[in-house]
Amino acid sequence: MKDFQIYLAGKTGGLTQVEANGWRNNVKNILENYESKRFNNIRVINPNDFFNYYKTLHKTHKQIKRFFMSQIDKSDLVIVNLNNSNSSVGTGQELEHARVKGIPIIGYGTENIYPWESEEDCDVVFNTEEECVEYVLDYYLR
C-alpha cells in the first residue's frame, strides 16, 4: 500500500487565523485519523503550517508560491474551500496548477465563489465541508 497526500486550498489573506485554519484543522484531523484499507498513511497538507500571514518565515513570495506548488505536485487530491474565492488570487493559482497537472479537485462552499473555480477547476463541488469530507472518504479513501 502507498501513502495518499491531500492538499488543502482556500482563501487565507484577509482572514483571521481561526477563519483561515479552522476548516483546515478540522478536515486534516478527520482525514489523517481515518484508517484506510487502501493506503498506509494519509497526509494532509495545510499550507498555513509552513507559511502564513501571521508569522513571517519566508524571505520572498516566490519562495512561498514554489513551495505550495511543489506540495500540490506531490498530492493525489486537492480539497478547496471555495467560500470567498472571488477575492483570493492564490486559490485560483493553486487550483489552476492542480488542474493542469491532472490532480482531482474536490470543492465545497456557497459564498462569494469565483465561477471558474467551481465550474471549471473542480471535479465535484458540495455545499458543505461535511458533504465534501464524506465524499472524499467514500470515493478516495475507503
Side-chain angles (χ1 to χ4, degrees):
M1 290 194 298
K2 69 173 213 141
D3 292 348
F4 193 86
Q5 182 164 302
I6 301 169
Y7 184 90
L8 302 179
K11 182 175 173 92
T12 299
L15 300 178
T16 67
Q17 196 165 3
V18 171
E19 291 170 329
N21 278 319
W23 76 270
R24 286 179 170 95
N25 291 335
N26 186 50
V27 169
K28 183 174 182 169
N29 184 50
I30 292 168
L31 296 178
E32 286 191 340
N33 289 304
Y34 179 73
E35 292 186 29
S36 176
K37 294 178 178 138
R38 296 176 59 194
F39 302 102
N40 284 329
N41 183 41
I42 299 166
R43 182 172 187 227
V44 179
I45 303 298
N46 175 354
N48 293 329
D49 289 345
F50 302 96
F51 296 110
N52 58 60
Y53 290 98
Y54 319 106
K55 192 175 189 182
T56 306
L57 299 174
H58 63 282
K59 300 298 180 199
T60 67
H61 289 285
K62 182 178 186 177
Q63 174 191 15
I64 297 170
K65 182 177 178 180
R66 283 193 176 190
F67 179 79
F68 290 171
M69 298 309 166
S70 75
Q71 291 303 306
I72 291 170
D73 290 343
K74 297 174 191 173
S75 294
D76 300 288
L77 179 70
V78 171
I79 294 175
V80 60
N81 177 345
L82 292 164
N83 289 320
N84 301 306
S85 60
N86 65 344
S87 61
S88 178
V89 172
T91 300
Q93 291 186 357
E94 289 171 327
L95 297 185
E96 178 65 8
H97 187 79
R99 188 192 64 74
V100 167
K101 294 286 187 174
I103 299 166
I105 303 167
I106 310 301
Y108 78 89
T110 59
E111 299 174 20
N112 305 313
I113 296 173
Y114 190 71
W116 287 5
E117 292 170 4
S118 61
E119 297 167 13
E120 300 296 325
D121 293 338
C122 290
D123 295 278
V124 181
V125 176
F126 296 93
N127 289 332
T128 68
E129 175 186 314
E130 294 77 16
E131 292 171 310
C132 179
V133 169
E134 192 60 36
Y135 178 82
V136 169
L137 289 171
D138 286 342
Y139 191 76
Y140 288 94
L141 302 178
R142 287 197 171 112

